[in-house]
Amino acid sequence: MEGLSLHYFFSLLMVTIVALEGLAPPYSSTATTTKIFQFNVEWKNVTRLCHSRPLLTVNGEYPGPTIAVHEGDNVLIKVTNRIARNTTIHWHGVRQIRTGWADGPAYITQCPIKGGTSYTYNFTVLNQRGTLFWHAHYSWQRASVCGAFIIYPRMPYPFSAPIHAEVPIILGEWWNVDAEMMASEMMKYGSGPNYSDAYTINGLPGPLYPCSVKDTFTHLVERGKTYLLRIINAALSDELFFAVASHTMAVVEVDATYTKPYTTRAIMVTPGQTTNVLLTADQIPDSSGMFVVSARPYRTSVFPFNNSTTVGFLRYKMTKALKGKSLNTPTNLANDNLPEMENTDFARDFFVRLRSLASTEFPCMVPKQIDKRVITTIGLNLQDCPANKICTGLNNKSFLASMNNQSFVRPSTSLLESYYMKRNTGEYSFDFPEKPPKAFNYTGVDPLKENMNAEFGTKVIELEYGTNLEMVLQDTGFLNVENHPIHVHGHNFFIVGGGFGNYDVEKDPENYNLVDPPERNTVGVPSGGWAAIRLKADNPGAWFVHCHLEEHTSWGLAMAFIVKDGSTESKSLLPPPQDLPSC
Ligand code: C2O
């Protein structure tokens, strides 16, 4: 009798354990809490590709620690800078309602955190759920200073498949050299950056790179179970294709907003974007028990780039049939599902097929009417070399990038602080052009016949609280056409339209999707084309808008919005925190 009840007790316990494991994420209906984290920015010796070097990390981890919170939580992250360089951290995609001081981009919302000092980022995660990420927002430090930022929902996921486990997958890049040093060289000579030495999955390059078989991402799965992959593109220079051999995936969320599920053999994810997919381990593995997981660039630019592939594995748990057989690393590392690097058709289809979930619970809040339309070119420039400089960009000129021919210069104190303190430093002005300075065939330009010099400045657009804004991003053919991932801080936007060629202000708006356009924080503007985004400027503060290809940000492909306070306190920016760093 006793034995029986013990047995009964144990089977109950088993059920509970299984149920808990299956119950990902940790749903919680309890009141919101404060989650506290300590981030030490510090050097750590790391070896990849037979190269050992001091790598900039948070808490010695590469990639950095995962931040996991619940929707509604107050988050306090104390960042202590233990290096002799400046730093800041940005919570990419977190809306930062009224807490612009905690957004992180250096010289936009704060002065850098100097070596030996700390700053506590204090914000509340409101009305967002899903996968985002955090990264350093100073020079090229985000090459290694980044990690997942997961927001668990208060309500169950709106998809039915029971999720067995969740797997963060951070796609990144590894340099054998110090990325920040490389960036300062590049800026000094107006040249392009060295491309990275490897792509990585969770910091691991995988078997196609030298000395890297031991540094290979492997995830154990159980046949028949469904997994939620939280895919983050933390790379600096490349849009990426990602796929798992022989398996399809269902996209269910992008940039922490739910989508209508759709099934695909691969995804395209730009730097700054995140994509959640459901993957069911429904295949029969060969004797290796493994399936290839891989990522490689989607390439549109003509400049030299890293054309390699990062490979990892899904390893099926030993089934009876496999027991006793020795498991070898598969010799075939090919992945039929992974698009070719030039596959613009795949990238375009992926872009076109994304839709907001637009359900009663999660309605699509796209502005149907707009108060203002800003049309801006995005592209590269070649700048005449200043007399006192050596320039090693094309034709002994220096590479630059711009929006509406304005190459953004970061001010010497933070934009937000100057604006808030009403300090008229003369360092910035409110006259960012709302349309291109001259109309031409943007995507068909012969660069050598055009005047390529941009203007330098810190020009912003000031918006009344609540403005329904449309921004049309028009790629140019200066130097080359290219897919640009444009990221907006402090707001999500809706991608209401897009296409190849030149935007037509008369015709194109007729084809906008104002019903269920995808909601994101980063849009991959089609190479040689345009994208129209809409947002409600309901977050007072100073918000950086920039290309998430790091070299383009460095070259000035950026601008900023200043959103004014609304009519009440609850629509106004909070005062700056006591420990806000000064310049
Ligand atoms: Cu992910 Cu301004 O950055």
Side-chain angles (χ1 to χ4, degrees):
M1 191 66 205
E2 227 184 82
L4 200 98
S5 60
L6 248 189
H7 175 84
Y8 180 67
F9 171 73
F10 274 117
S11 56
L12 260 187
L13 193 72
M14 287 292 288
V15 167
T16 323
I17 290 168
V18 169
L20 275 179
E21 211 199 352
L23 193 78
Y27 293 121
S28 154
S29 52
T30 54
T32 61
T33 50
T34 296
K35 300 266 167 63
I36 299 171
F37 300 88
Q38 171 70 45
F39 270 25
N40 297 320
V41 176
E42 59 193 25
W43 295 104
K44 163 93 184 176
N45 270 318
V46 174
T47 307
R48 293 287 186 277
L49 276 59
C50 321
H51 283 257
S52 281
R53 67 175 188 88
L55 190 71
L56 198 57
T57 67
V58 163
N59 303 346
E61 293 176 42
Y62 169 65
T66 296
I67 291 211
V69 301
H70 276 86
E71 192 183 334
D73 281 348
N74 177 225
V75 188
L76 293 178
I77 306 150
K78 183 173 179 192
V79 176
T80 300
N81 182 357
R82 294 196 169 156
I83 59 165
R85 299 178 183 174
N86 289 339
T87 196
T88 69
I89 308 277
H90 167 51
W91 321 95
H92 180 114
V94 173
R95 292 262 342 251
Q96 299 290 359
I97 308 285
R98 304 180 62 207
T99 51
W101 307 106
D103 191 37
Y107 304 109
I108 307 299
T109 59
Q110 70 168 98
C111 296
I113 307 170
K114 296 190 190 86
T117 68
S118 299
Y119 175 48
T120 300
Y121 292 87
N122 180 354
F123 54 90
T124 301
V125 178
L126 290 170
N127 201 20
Q128 290 186 278
R129 69 278 316 152
T131 306
L132 295 171
F133 70 123
W134 57 266
H135 62 78
H137 212 303
Y138 186 87
S139 179
W140 282 46
Q141 290 177 354
R142 74 180 180 88
S144 54
V145 180
C146 64
F149 193 111
I150 294 169
I151 309 164
Y152 291 114
R154 292 276 161 196
M155 312 242 293
Y157 291 133
F159 28 88
S160 50
I163 290 163
H164 187 62
E166 304 193 354
V167 191
I169 294 187
I170 304 176
L171 306 174
E173 284 177 278
W174 165 269
W175 273 265
N176 286 335
V177 297
D178 182 324
E180 192 174 350
M181 290 295 119
M182 180 197 65
S184 15
E185 281 285 289
M186 161 185 121
M187 293 312 285
K188 196 164 150 205
Y189 295 109
S191 60
N194 296 2
Y195 53 79
S196 61
D197 296 286
Y199 296 105
T200 54
I201 303 177
N202 291 351
L204 303 167
L208 291 178
Y209 297 100
C211 314
S212 299
V213 172
K214 61 177 191 340
D215 296 321
T216 300
F217 167 83
T218 307
H219 190 78
L220 200 61
V221 297
E222 242 176 273
R223 190 145 189 273
K225 298 267 159 74
T226 297
Y227 296 81
L228 177 68
L229 310 186
R230 298 176 175 275
I231 302 153
I232 297 163
N233 186 349
L236 285 80
S237 309
D238 288 277
E239 290 83 0
L240 294 168
F241 290 126
F242 171 88
V244 180
S246 309
H247 294 72
T248 56
M249 305 181 281
V251 176
V252 291
E253 184 227 293
V254 294
D255 297 7
T257 70
Y258 293 128
T259 61
K260 292 197 172 70
Y262 83 78
T263 305
T264 179
R265 67 178 172 110
I267 64 162
M268 196 283 261
V269 59
T270 77
Q273 291 184 333
T274 53
T275 305
N276 278 10
V277 302
L278 299 179
L279 177 136
T280 302
D282 56 2
Q283 298 298 305
I284 298 175
D286 65 9
S287 61
S288 73
M290 313 259 221
F291 287 96
V292 165
V293 174
S294 49
R296 70 171 160 224
Y298 161 48
R299 193 58 184 183
T300 55
S301 143
V302 298
F303 292 106
F305 73 111
N306 176 353
N307 64 358
S308 62
T309 303
T310 177
V311 166
F313 299 106
L314 277 194
R315 203 179 103 202
Y316 275 55
K317 249 189 198 163
M318 291 283 277
T319 54
K320 273 214 187 90
L322 286 174
K323 271 209 179 105
K325 292 192 180 157
S326 64
L327 292 187
N328 299 313
T329 308
T331 43
N332 180 6
L333 299 179
N335 182 348
D336 291 355
N337 278 338
L338 196 64
E340 293 301 321
M341 282 182 280
E342 300 75 26
N343 198 338
T344 287
D345 287 348
F346 182 90
R348 186 213 35 225
D349 283 357
F350 191 80
F351 178 88
V352 166
R353 287 173 69 194
L354 272 181
R355 293 276 188 280
S356 277
L357 182 60
S359 64
T360 346
E361 248 169 317
F362 302 101
C364 177
M365 306 292 276
V366 57
K368 300 262 193 306
Q369 307 290 333
I370 53 165
D371 305 308
K372 186 194 264 302
R373 174 181 283 139
V374 173
I375 302 178
T376 175
T377 57
I378 50 175
L380 307 183
N381 299 84
L382 263 187
Q383 206 76 8
D384 294 333
C385 196
N388 53 354
K389 237 182 109 171
I390 298 170
C391 298
T392 58
L394 209 63
N395 299 344
N396 296 326
K397 296 186 180 208
S398 108
F399 286 123
L400 274 179
S402 62
M403 297 177 74
N404 273 347
N405 221 36
Q406 298 294 321
S407 189
F408 188 84
V409 178
R410 284 174 196 69
S412 60
T413 47
S414 102
L415 208 53
L416 183 61
E417 193 181 322
S418 302
Y419 180 78
Y420 184 83
M421 302 295 189
K422 301 194 171 57
R423 240 187 261 130
N424 198 348
T425 57
E427 269 200 306
Y428 71 100
S429 53
F430 295 102
D431 52 351
F432 181 85
E434 293 182 9
K435 59 180 182 24
K438 93 177 194 213
F440 56 93
N441 178 9
Y442 305 109
T443 47
V445 152
D446 174 356
L448 301 175
K449 293 206 186 93
E450 286 293 328
N451 171 19
M452 300 285 286
N453 288 318
E455 285 172 27
F456 296 96
T458 309
K459 298 197 171 183
V460 306
I461 290 183
E462 192 180 37
L463 298 167
E464 292 300 326
Y465 181 94
T467 301
N468 288 311
L469 176 76
E470 178 173 308
M471 193 166 196
V472 179
L473 302 154
Q474 172 70 60
D475 187 23
T476 74
F478 281 162
L479 296 183
N480 72 171
V481 291
E482 181 168 0
N483 184 296
H484 292 280
I486 303 295
H487 172 50
V488 177
H489 284 234
H491 297 81
N492 279 354
F493 52 72
F494 298 86
I495 307 168
V496 296
F500 294 113
N502 300 324
Y503 174 73
D504 183 331
V505 71
E506 301 299 327
K507 291 206 192 90
D508 285 321
E510 285 170 19
N511 299 318
Y512 281 175
N513 175 3
L514 298 178
V515 178
D516 57 358
E519 179 179 348
R520 307 203 77 141
N521 62 54
T522 305
V523 55
V525 178
S527 178
W530 59 275
I533 61 174
R534 286 189 176 185
L535 61 85
K536 187 175 203 63
D538 57 0
N539 191 12
W543 306 109
F544 206 24
V545 176
H546 63 97
C547 182
H548 220 272
L549 298 174
E550 206 56 39
E551 73 250 43
H552 294 179
T553 314
S554 306
W555 289 342
L557 209 170
M559 55 88 65
F561 292 128
I562 286 184
V563 179
K564 290 162 96 171
D565 280 343
S567 51
T568 60
E569 208 187 304
S570 67
K571 293 177 180 165
S572 301
L573 178 69
L574 291 167
Q578 296 276 296
D579 59 343
L580 184 72
S582 53
C583 286

